[in-house]
Amino acid sequence: MADEAPFQFLHNEVLQYIYKSAENGETDNGRNIAKLENMGFRVGQGLMERLTKDTARFKDELDIMKFVCKDFWTCVFKKQIDNLRTNHQGIYVLQDNKFRLLSQLSAGKQYLEQAPKYLAFTCGLVRGALSNLGVKSIVTAEVSVMPACKFQIMIQKM
Amino acid sequence: MSRQSNRTTDSKKMNSELFTLTYGALVTQLCKDYENDEEVNKQLDKMGYNIGVRLIEDFLARSSIGRCQDFRETADVIAKVAFKMYLGITPSVTNWSPAGDEFSLILENNPLVDFVELPDNHSTLVYSSLLCGVLRGALEMVQMAVDVRFAQDTLRGDSVTEIRMKFIKRIEENLPAGDE
């Protein structure tokens, strides 16, 4: 596919759908986020499987993270992560200064409270990708100024 | 760094897999949420419609294609430009009705179903219904009411995937005078 527009539109529709079913009152916000996250998880797993088909074995955790920041991010969002930080104790922070799914939305504070919706799927994506490389993790995201955002990855020790 | 060399070439392909997989996750979720396939089909079509009414703007802005003179031209644009641009495939246009108001798009390989197998208990699920909605929604925005449906589907054992499109009517424009 020569184009990323279909994915973005589809992603928007997925959000629409998940949140509309919530308006009928059955589910709360946490459930919705979880649903999106789970969908992302499955997609992340599949993508990673396809992406690492021909790659050499990873040396260590950091090597895996670098792969996520460079190749995986480029594959999904057409750019690399701008900043990767770690405390060397299982916590990694990935910063994207112009996150693709937010960049169409706003470059200020206007829709800040809507932002978490747009990140849940991607959190799942990263978690799924890592899980397929044998790394169990918790991924959360935060936005302070759109369209920049940070993904925090906490590695769960087996 | 050594790892990067061989992969840049198929990034386009990967991106289509992202779309395919995301779509798969959506259908899975819908199948969980709704009890019967008809409802899922309807929901997918609706979501497709919502995408279509927006996608047309993106399409017109980027392809710089003007108004189509007739339905044959529309068919050509859909198959050769739109499908190519967004899904990377070029379906063939066949089976014109004598009146020229109905035709089929034959998809050799439908990218939406790349990794899909339909389980037996979903025999009435039209997996790619989204496409129908997209086509319908997009054409509606250019004043064409069109009926779109799947006539054949490789997922259900047919040899090709066929989308049947039937022109219903032109939608009257309600633009203020002098506004083009």
Side-chain angles (χ1 to χ4, degrees):
Chain A
M1 182 184 314
D3 206 81
E4 60 185 312
F7 171 70
Q8 294 205 351
F9 284 114
L10 184 65
H11 180 260
N12 284 346
E13 275 313 304
V14 171
L15 289 187
Q16 277 282 329
Y17 165 70
I18 296 276
Y19 278 87
K20 197 177 283 164
S21 60
E23 270 170 25
N24 304 337
E26 311 123 51
T27 45
D28 59 300
N29 198 30
R31 273 280 288 291
N32 291 330
I33 298 278
K35 258 191 193 172
L36 282 172
E37 222 249 348
N38 282 334
M39 290 171 79
F41 182 81
R42 185 66 199 88
V43 175
Q45 277 190 321
L47 269 185
M48 207 42 149
E49 202 171 292
R50 311 281 300 167
L51 199 58
T52 52
K53 209 168 37 171
D54 310 310
T55 54
R57 188 173 277 271
F58 295 104
K59 285 200 299 285
D60 52 20
E61 212 172 81
L62 189 62
D63 205 25
I64 293 178
M65 283 305 163
K66 281 187 189 157
F67 183 81
V68 170
C69 291
K70 284 185 186 143
D71 299 86
F72 184 73
W73 219 259
T74 311
C75 154
V76 181
F77 298 115
K78 298 284 177 352
K79 73 188 280 289
Q80 295 185 7
I81 280 285
D82 294 300
N83 191 335
L84 167 66
R85 268 183 285 180
T86 173
N87 66 354
H88 296 289
Q89 285 168 3
I91 294 185
Y92 295 82
V93 178
L94 279 57
Q95 183 170 340
D96 190 334
N97 293 332
K98 194 165 182 290
F99 184 54
R100 190 65 67 151
L101 296 176
L102 292 178
S103 60
Q104 310 276 7
L105 215 59
S106 155
K109 293 215 159 103
Q110 195 182 358
Y111 294 112
L112 205 55
E113 71 270 27
Q114 306 289 334
K117 287 186 197 176
Y118 288 82
L119 301 172
F121 183 82
T122 309
C123 287
L125 214 56
V126 175
R127 193 166 64 88
L130 289 173
S131 116
N132 231 3
L133 297 176
V135 179
K136 211 174 149 202
S137 60
I138 295 175
V139 183
T140 52
E142 60 172 305
V143 189
S144 44
V145 184
M146 304 243 260
C149 74
K150 281 181 193 165
F151 293 91
Q152 188 180 27
I153 302 172
M154 264 186 282
I155 308 292
Q156 307 291 98
K157 290 285 170 257
M158 299 283 175
Chain B
M1 283 300 169
S2 56
R3 202 176 280 122
Q4 267 182 337
S5 52
N6 60 347
R7 242 191 334 274
T8 41
T9 43
D10 55 4
S11 75
K12 274 186 183 168
K13 187 157 167 297
M14 284 308 298
N15 199 262
S16 103
E17 285 171 5
L18 170 69
F19 180 71
T20 306
L21 288 166
T22 307
Y23 185 66
L26 171 67
V27 178
T28 312
Q29 183 65 45
L30 288 172
C31 287
K32 274 186 210 157
D33 291 353
Y34 292 102
E35 271 160 22
N36 69 55
D37 294 346
E38 282 307 314
E39 288 291 313
V40 177
N41 294 343
K42 218 184 281 171
Q43 183 65 34
L44 283 171
D45 184 83
K46 202 165 94 191
M47 295 168 92
Y49 177 84
N50 293 341
I51 293 178
V53 298
R54 293 178 186 180
L55 200 63
I56 187 72
E57 291 187 20
D58 183 76
F59 176 74
L60 292 176
R62 284 169 36 186
S63 62
S64 64
I65 282 177
R67 191 168 285 274
C68 290
Q69 298 305 319
D70 56 20
F71 203 42
R72 281 179 191 269
E73 194 185 340
T74 311
D76 268 356
V77 170
I78 291 171
K80 301 208 179 93
V81 190
F83 266 86
K84 179 108 194 103
M85 184 190 277
Y86 293 115
L87 293 176
I89 54 168
T90 313
S92 46
V93 179
T94 55
N95 291 343
W96 278 98
S97 65
D101 64 343
E102 207 174 327
F103 69 91
S104 294
L105 289 169
I106 306 286
L107 284 71
E108 300 273 309
N109 42 356
N110 178 359
L112 288 184
V113 303
D114 269 352
F115 314 110
V116 181
E117 252 179 63
L118 278 191
D120 293 337
N121 56 347
H122 284 294
S123 53
T124 52
L125 179 71
V126 184
Y127 186 86
S128 316
S129 307
L130 188 91
L131 284 182
C132 296
V134 171
L135 288 166
R136 193 163 51 85
L139 289 174
E140 198 171 304
M141 290 299 114
V142 287
Q143 279 87 41
M144 272 185 261
V146 177
D147 177 61
V148 189
R149 64 190 167 78
F150 273 86
Q152 295 188 72
D153 193 343
T154 44
L155 275 185
R156 295 203 266 168
D158 299 317
S159 58
V160 288
T161 299
E162 176 183 354
I163 301 176
R164 191 80 184 146
M165 310 207 19
K166 183 177 175 15
F167 181 80
I168 302 171
K169 60 166 185 161
R170 274 203 92 73
I171 299 166
E172 291 302 320
E173 297 188 55
N174 286 322
L175 292 177
D179 197 333
E180 177 50 28

